[in-house]
Amino acid sequence: MDIGNSSLVTELILVGLTKHLEIQVPLFFLFLGIYIITVAGNLGLVTLIRLTSQLHTPMYYFLFNLSCIDLCYSSVITPKLLVNFVSKRNIISYAECMTQLFFYCFFVKPECYALTVMAYDRYVAICKPLLYKVTMSPQVCSLMAVIVYLGAFIAAWAHTGCMLRLTFCDANTINHYMCDILPLLELSCTSTHINELVVLIIVGFDVAVPGLTVIVSYVFILSSILRISSTEGRSKAFSTCSSHIIVVSVFFGSGAFMYLHPSSVLSMNQKKVSTIFYTILVPMLNPLIYSFRNKEVKVALKKTLSRNISF
């Protein structure tokens, strides 16, 4: 990545989440707690899936990937946010800012498509159970993962490369807690039309295609569930899907709210709040929801803990 572009700015200042000094310390401890839960929860889920052979299925393969993504994703953003709360003047170099932007873009796309593939996995499991082992074979799952990460790498380079071509003259204060695309575009003293077009195309695609896939998958799933004769069977199927629907709704809803509005419609404070949902809260919620609402994970956790206690 060629950091030495035509930018006249060598360092940037992150305003942070809020300018109110009296709530900085409480917010620091709040988000520190969220980050600890995020790291512990995702690391625990990764370890549990890795150690438990009963969880070596396509669904948990993608849940394993999702937890790894969340672990890296939150670590790109949250530590810098915590620094904002305890620093009088939070400076980030231009190179560090572009690096954070790249990795933020790199991890947000796999998050999006991991949730999508998990919806498709539930569709095949419930609607096409006889074809499940063939449709979701290890080779197919690995190919899906490679395509997702390759697409994420290309998209991250597209966003970051377009940002590197801009010139930042005198303004160097980012009204945000991270180096996000839209706040950086506001600082540019050159035309941002190409950047805005790239954002519209990539983000529009990454919301529309996965969103449509999830909706269609769950329409078929709901139709199949309603045809199940036993109440217990319907309840089990709904329970399996409900946790995923919650996470998908929060992630896609907040992401679309942030990026698919004209920049003049939302204030920066509204954008910051929206960003918190899919950059900080969703990575924390994923392991909690998939653990507490998932019988297989709870059973595997009990067995693992009992084996360790017996030793």
Side-chain angles (χ1 to χ4, degrees):
M1 188 185 299
D2 182 16
I3 302 299
N5 76 334
S6 58
S7 173
L8 302 178
V9 172
T10 57
E11 61 181 30
L12 299 157
I13 300 171
L14 293 168
V15 170
L17 189 60
T18 178
K19 294 180 181 179
H20 299 289
L21 297 178
E22 65 275 9
I23 61 172
Q24 297 277 22
V25 173
L27 285 176
F28 170 82
F29 286 107
L30 172 64
F31 284 99
L32 178 61
I34 290 173
Y35 184 58
I36 291 171
I37 294 170
T38 300
V39 172
N42 284 292
L43 197 58
L45 200 52
V46 165
T47 305
L48 184 65
I49 293 172
R50 185 74 178 173
L51 295 177
T52 309
S53 58
Q54 291 87 346
L55 299 182
H56 292 176
T57 64
M59 176 183 171
Y60 292 104
Y61 171 77
F62 289 109
L63 185 55
F64 177 90
N65 277 271
L66 184 65
S67 292
C68 290
I69 292 164
D70 284 336
L71 192 60
C72 299
Y73 186 31
S74 59
S75 297
V76 169
I77 297 162
T78 310
K80 196 63 182 174
L81 172 63
L82 294 174
V83 172
N84 290 344
F85 295 128
V86 295
S87 299
K88 291 182 179 179
R89 194 165 177 261
N90 188 29
I91 297 173
I92 183 170
S93 72
Y94 180 77
E96 289 172 340
C97 185
M98 292 300 108
T99 302
Q100 186 188 54
L101 175 66
F102 175 82
F103 283 106
Y104 160 66
C105 294
F106 177 76
F107 288 119
V108 74
K109 191 179 181 82
E111 174 98 10
C112 175
Y113 283 94
L115 293 171
T116 306
V117 173
M118 288 170 73
Y120 178 71
D121 173 83
R122 291 300 84 203
Y123 158 73
V124 177
I126 294 173
C127 301
K128 309 282 185 181
L130 297 179
L131 299 175
Y132 184 76
K133 287 189 176 180
V134 176
T135 307
M136 301 300 291
S137 67
Q139 293 81 4
V140 171
C141 292
S142 297
L143 179 61
M144 286 181 178
V146 169
I147 292 172
V148 166
Y149 288 118
L150 182 61
F153 183 79
I154 294 170
W157 268 112
H159 285 303
T160 311
C162 286
M163 195 64 68
L164 288 169
R165 59 175 285 279
L166 298 179
T167 300
F168 300 94
C169 301
D170 297 322
N172 70 335
T173 302
I174 305 173
N175 187 14
H176 212 292
Y177 58 82
M178 58 177 281
C179 290
D180 199 359
I181 298 169
L182 300 183
L184 282 169
L185 293 182
E186 293 180 0
L187 299 184
S188 175
C189 54
T190 50
S191 174
T192 61
H193 291 312
I194 294 177
N195 298 68
E196 291 170 1
L197 184 61
V198 169
V199 170
L200 184 62
I201 292 172
I202 294 179
V203 176
F205 183 86
D206 288 344
V207 171
V209 173
L212 185 61
T213 303
V214 170
I215 291 170
V216 171
S217 296
Y218 275 106
V219 166
F220 283 110
I221 289 171
L222 183 61
S223 176
S224 297
I225 289 174
L226 293 176
R227 289 200 297 267
I228 297 174
S229 56
S230 70
T231 305
E232 184 181 350
R234 283 198 300 269
S235 177
K236 183 178 179 181
F238 272 122
S239 177
T240 302
C241 299
S242 59
S243 56
H244 185 256
I245 292 173
I246 293 169
V247 173
V248 166
S249 300
V250 173
F251 182 81
F252 283 101
S254 57
F257 182 80
M258 172 70 179
Y259 286 101
L260 299 183
H261 275 88
S263 57
S264 59
V265 172
L266 299 176
S267 69
M268 187 50 68
N269 286 334
Q270 288 176 309
K271 292 176 183 178
K272 288 180 188 179
V273 172
S274 176
T275 308
I276 284 173
F277 277 97
Y278 67 87
T279 60
I280 295 174
L281 292 183
V282 167
M284 179 192 71
L285 289 175
N286 281 344
L288 297 179
I289 290 175
Y290 288 115
S291 298
F292 293 131
R293 296 182 60 86
N294 190 307
K295 185 178 179 180
E296 290 177 322
V297 171
K298 287 191 284 188
V299 169
L301 181 60
K302 287 179 181 178
K303 287 183 177 178
T304 303
L305 291 175
S306 62
R307 279 202 305 268
N308 290 335
I309 292 172
S310 64
F311 282 114

